[in-house]
């Protein structure tokens, strides 16, 4: 048996066949390209789960299409060089940054939905313990709540926001109607512990969320006045120093305050979580951003980080597009026509890009050849 060179036969999605030496640059290129495609698919799934319920920065949305275009251009290459491997690795890094940003935004959505779901659970469980004529009404709410929990458990958090029948907002409104009915069904004396018990459970969560905020996060103190007022009302409602009617009113007012604070502070906690996740992404990917990372974490400033990462990502994608065009032109001896014929770039796009490169002194000269 004679020894010889082993080859790989690689077939891309468009049926283009590449023959490469085993362990060659082409094999490495294909592996990185496949990983980048998988990461972009994950990013697209994250975006689809966000687009109906949360605003995603425009630059992030644009990057999805731009990175898809990058991967298609890279996949169209027939001869692979070491420079191509570097290009595809850079593209993979940008895709992973994009995926990390969208994943962090999904976490923000998840934290908010799970906090709301837990709050509704406290209310339903405590109201269920009361002997009233609300069994039928409460039974329907419990059924919807069970379905809402299934959405959360199966990580379909966006459905818990957008669903007309099972949304958190719908259940909140129906539970508010229950409270209105309780006024007629319970004596003020019996209503106080119902309102108070729910408010105390919410306060426990609120303090846990607050403890998770950064030291310089303004939201640590922004709600201090409202929290103090809520606690005072609860103490007065439970002290029995006033009439049952006033104590019932105080307890319900405190409960309403806790419901609003629970929502607001859980969102602040979600923002803090996003900030920490994004800073970790910036550091791991060595991304150049124009902000102080430590300050952003301590302040829980997710918005600044999202803005900076979006800007850096867009800039790098555009720079990469320029580098790819330069390489394509070099491969085709500077010919615009041959470059256009070999890619999906049209001639006008190439000429516009060349004009920009000429203005930026990236191109020494442009030669026109007449027929």
């Amino acid at each position: 048996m004679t020894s010889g060179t082993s080859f790989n036969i690689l077939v891309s999605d468009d049926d283009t066949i590449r023959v490469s030496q085993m362990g060659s640059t082409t094999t490495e290129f294909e592996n990185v390209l496949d990983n980048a495609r998988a990461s972009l698919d994950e990013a697209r799934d994250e975006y689809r789960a966000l687009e109906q319920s949360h605003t995603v920065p425009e630059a992030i949305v644009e990057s999805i299409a731009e990175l898809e275009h990058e991967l298609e251009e890279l996949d169209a290459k027939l001869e692979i060089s070491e420079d191509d491997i570097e290009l595809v690795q850079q593209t993979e890094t940008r895709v992973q940054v994009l995926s990390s940003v969208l994943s962090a935004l999904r976490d923000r959505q998840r934290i908010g939905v799970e906090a709301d779901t837990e709050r509704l659970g406290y209310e339903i469980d405590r109201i269920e313990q009361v002997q009233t004529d609300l069994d039928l009404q409460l039974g329907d709410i419990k059924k919807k709540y069970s379905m809402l929990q299934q959405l959360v458990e199966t990580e379909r958090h966006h459905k818990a926001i957008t669903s007309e029948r099972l949304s958190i907002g719908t259940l909140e409104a129906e539970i508010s109607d229950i409270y209105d009915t309780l006024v007629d069904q319970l004596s003020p004396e019996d209503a106080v512990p119902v309102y108070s018990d729910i408010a105390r459970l919410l306060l426990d969560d609120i303090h846990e969320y607050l403890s998770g905020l950064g030291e310089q996060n303004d939201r640590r103190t922004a709600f201090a006045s409202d929290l103090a007022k809520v606690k005072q009302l609860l103490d007065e409602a439970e002290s029995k120093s006033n009439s049952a009617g006033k104590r019932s009113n105080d307890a319900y007012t405190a409960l309403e305050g806790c419901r609003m604070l629970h929502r607001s502070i859980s969102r602040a906690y979600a923002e803090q979580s996003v900030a920490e996740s994004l800073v970790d992404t910036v550091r791991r990917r060595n991304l150049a951003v124009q902000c102080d990372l430590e300050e952003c974490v301590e302040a829980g400033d997710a918005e600044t980080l999202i803005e900076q990462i979006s800007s850096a990502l867009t800039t790098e994608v555009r720079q990469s597009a320029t580098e790819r065009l330069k390489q394509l032109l070099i491969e085709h001896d500077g010919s615009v026509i041959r470059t256009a014929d070999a890619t999906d770039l049209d001639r006008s796009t190439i000429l516009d890009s060349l004009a920009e490169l000429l203005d930026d002194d990236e191109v020494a000269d442009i030669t026109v050849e007449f027929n």
Side-chain angles (χ1 to χ4, degrees):
M1 180 182 294
T2 59
S3 61
T5 304
S6 296
F7 289 91
N8 276 338
I9 298 179
L10 304 168
V11 183
S12 66
D13 293 339
D14 60 357
D15 294 330
T16 301
I17 297 176
R18 299 189 184 96
V19 180
S20 63
Q21 195 172 339
M22 287 287 285
S24 71
T25 54
T26 302
T27 303
E28 183 178 355
F29 178 89
E30 287 290 337
N31 289 336
V32 178
L33 188 62
D34 287 344
N35 290 336
R37 280 201 200 96
S39 294
L40 189 59
D41 286 342
E42 290 176 7
R44 191 176 287 106
D45 289 341
E46 299 279 17
Y47 172 65
R48 285 170 182 159
L50 283 166
E51 63 176 329
Q52 295 181 355
S53 55
H54 283 77
T55 301
V56 179
E58 186 176 342
I60 293 294
V61 179
E62 290 176 353
S63 294
I64 297 174
E66 290 172 349
L67 286 165
E68 178 69 52
H69 185 65
E70 265 192 57
L71 293 178
E72 288 174 355
E73 284 192 351
L74 288 164
D75 189 43
K77 287 181 172 293
L78 299 179
E79 296 181 8
I80 308 302
S81 66
E82 292 292 340
D83 289 340
D84 293 322
I85 291 179
E86 185 176 350
L87 275 174
V88 76
Q89 288 172 338
Q90 291 170 355
T91 301
E92 182 190 25
T93 297
R94 286 191 294 276
V95 171
Q96 290 172 342
V97 169
L98 172 67
S99 184
S100 295
V101 172
L102 288 168
S103 179
L105 295 179
R106 277 289 303 279
D107 278 342
R108 177 170 67 182
Q109 180 188 74
R110 175 187 58 79
I111 291 170
V113 168
E114 291 180 356
D116 290 345
T117 303
E118 190 167 26
R119 183 176 70 251
L120 292 172
Y122 294 152
E123 297 180 271
I124 292 169
D125 288 346
R126 184 61 182 88
I127 293 171
E128 190 180 16
Q129 299 172 23
V130 181
Q131 297 300 315
T132 66
D133 298 329
L134 295 170
D135 291 350
L136 186 61
Q137 188 177 356
L138 193 58
D140 184 57
I141 289 176
K142 286 178 61 181
K143 186 184 298 182
K144 291 178 182 176
Y145 180 71
S146 177
M147 296 170 74
L148 178 65
Q149 286 180 303
Q150 289 179 18
L151 292 179
V152 172
E153 289 169 3
T154 55
E155 298 186 358
R156 290 177 290 170
H157 299 91
H158 60 292
K159 292 288 187 181
I161 302 172
T162 59
S163 172
E164 291 184 8
R165 183 166 178 268
L166 295 175
S167 73
I168 288 168
T170 299
L171 278 172
E172 285 176 333
E174 293 184 8
I175 290 175
S176 292
D177 290 340
I178 289 277
Y179 284 126
D180 291 341
T181 306
L182 283 177
V183 173
D184 298 326
Q185 302 237 345
L186 292 179
S187 68
E189 191 69 45
D190 290 336
V192 171
V194 176
Y195 303 148
S196 176
D197 288 350
I198 299 170
R200 292 292 182 189
L201 287 170
L202 295 178
L203 280 174
D204 288 342
D205 277 1
I206 287 168
H207 286 299
E208 188 173 343
Y209 290 137
L210 285 172
S211 68
L213 301 184
E215 292 297 330
Q216 303 303 317
N217 194 320
D218 292 341
R219 297 175 181 87
R220 266 185 172 270
T221 56
F223 302 107
S225 175
D226 290 333
L227 271 173
K229 183 177 180 180
V230 162
K231 291 176 183 178
Q232 181 181 354
L233 285 170
L234 277 178
D235 289 341
E236 291 177 357
E238 295 166 349
S239 69
K240 297 189 177 182
S241 58
N242 295 309
S243 68
K246 184 178 188 312
R247 288 190 293 112
S248 177
N249 287 334
D250 286 347
Y252 185 71
T253 301
L255 172 57
E256 284 291 279
C258 285
R259 293 173 86 193
M260 290 186 286
L261 286 169
H262 191 276
R263 180 178 178 80
S264 298
I265 296 174
S266 65
R267 267 51 179 186
Y269 176 78
E271 290 294 307
Q272 180 73 48
S273 177
V274 171
E276 292 170 3
S277 177
L278 292 178
V279 165
D280 180 60
T281 294
V282 169
R283 286 173 173 158
R284 281 189 296 108
R285 302 300 176 186
N286 198 28
L287 197 65
V289 294
Q290 304 302 313
C291 62
D292 188 302
L293 297 181
E294 287 297 335
E295 286 184 6
C296 285
V297 169
E298 288 302 315
D301 188 359
E303 291 306 315
T304 294
L305 286 163
I306 292 170
E307 179 183 332
Q308 288 294 319
I309 293 174
S310 299
S311 176
L313 191 61
T314 302
T315 298
E316 289 198 11
V317 168
R318 287 172 182 165
Q319 288 175 341
S320 176
T322 300
E323 289 301 318
R324 291 200 311 279
L325 177 60
K326 288 167 64 176
Q327 187 177 17
L328 285 168
L329 286 166
I330 290 170
E331 289 176 0
H332 296 92
D333 301 321
S335 169
V336 171
I337 293 175
R338 285 175 57 200
T339 300
D341 289 344
T343 68
D344 59 357
L345 295 173
D346 57 59
R347 298 179 186 183
S348 60
T349 298
I350 296 174
L351 290 171
D352 289 342
S353 298
L354 277 174
E356 293 177 10
L357 290 172
L358 188 63
D359 290 340
D360 294 337
D361 294 326
E362 295 288 334
V363 172
D365 196 5
I366 296 176
T367 300
V368 178
E369 182 177 319
F370 294 99
N371 289 329

